[in-house]
Amino acid sequence: MLEQSYYDKADEIIASYGTEGRWLIPIIQDVQAEYRYLPPELLTYIAGKLHITEAKAYSVATFYENFSFEQKGRYVIKVCDGTACHVRKSTSILERLYQELGLSKGKHTTDDMLFTIETVSCLGACGLAPVLMVNDEVYPSMTPDKVTELIGKLRGEANEVK
């Protein structure tokens, strides 16, 4: 069960677009931007507000890979494993991330909800390979040692905010 503030925020987002079904995608994009995931309860709520079926809302949200029903960490780290990055050893970057964060292929988010690791097919920065992206910032020419430095920096930022 979500707190009332989630529903209040959803109402605020819906109000900025309107209650026509055509606004479903931008509304759930904004919800996901707010919470770093799409709470299933909110998707059901939004469907009701837009007068569309829950099935239609779920079919849209599950069709697009961008939407996630699982909570993500404050820092979402996307490791490129496209051809250019792969041949430049992006696998060792991913292995170092798993080691540094105590994660694995089966566990993508740290218990403290600080980090989530995802692999992606391409980040569109092949000339800078291997690359990773943290939230919206691209980090080029990564090495395992640079990963260790980056994780330390991000942990430091997170501690400053607390």
Side-chain angles (χ1 to χ4, degrees):
M1 190 75 191
L2 294 174
E3 295 176 14
Q4 183 61 41
S5 63
Y6 282 74
Y7 297 99
D8 295 342
K9 184 64 178 179
D11 285 337
E12 181 183 314
I13 292 168
I14 292 166
S16 72
Y17 289 98
T19 57
E20 294 176 48
R22 67 186 173 120
W23 297 115
L24 176 64
I25 292 174
I27 289 169
I28 61 179
Q29 284 175 320
D30 286 1
V31 167
Q32 182 159 293
E34 180 73 23
Y35 300 112
R36 296 186 308 270
Y37 83 113
L38 184 57
E41 300 95 325
L42 269 191
L43 184 58
T44 299
Y45 179 77
I46 292 166
K49 290 287 190 171
L50 300 184
H51 311 290
I52 60 174
T53 65
E54 188 175 339
K56 177 158 176 81
Y58 271 88
S59 70
V60 169
T62 57
F63 177 79
Y64 294 103
E65 198 172 299
N66 180 46
F67 295 114
S68 174
F69 292 110
E70 295 180 22
Q71 281 188 297
K72 294 185 180 189
R74 176 175 170 190
Y75 299 108
V76 177
I77 303 171
K78 295 180 181 182
V79 180
C80 182
D81 197 34
T83 304
C85 288
H86 188 79
V87 299
R88 291 190 174 116
K89 306 202 181 332
S90 63
T91 305
S92 64
I93 307 290
L94 185 60
E95 288 170 359
R96 179 66 66 94
L97 280 167
Y98 285 150
Q99 177 187 344
E100 288 284 328
L101 301 175
L103 298 174
S104 66
K105 289 182 181 178
K107 182 179 181 193
H108 304 282
T109 301
T110 56
D111 292 337
D112 61 4
M113 297 302 293
L114 199 53
F115 297 99
T116 296
I117 298 175
E118 299 176 344
T119 56
V120 296
S121 297
C122 186
L123 288 172
C126 303
L128 305 173
V131 299
L132 61 78
M133 181 182 279
V134 179
N135 297 340
D136 294 322
E137 188 171 343
V138 175
Y139 291 83
S141 306
M142 290 303 293
T143 65
D145 289 341
K146 286 182 180 179
V147 165
T148 299
E149 288 176 32
L150 177 60
I151 295 301
K153 176 183 165 235
L154 295 173
R155 281 189 172 130
E157 286 177 9
N159 287 333
E160 288 175 13
V161 173
K162 285 183 181 179

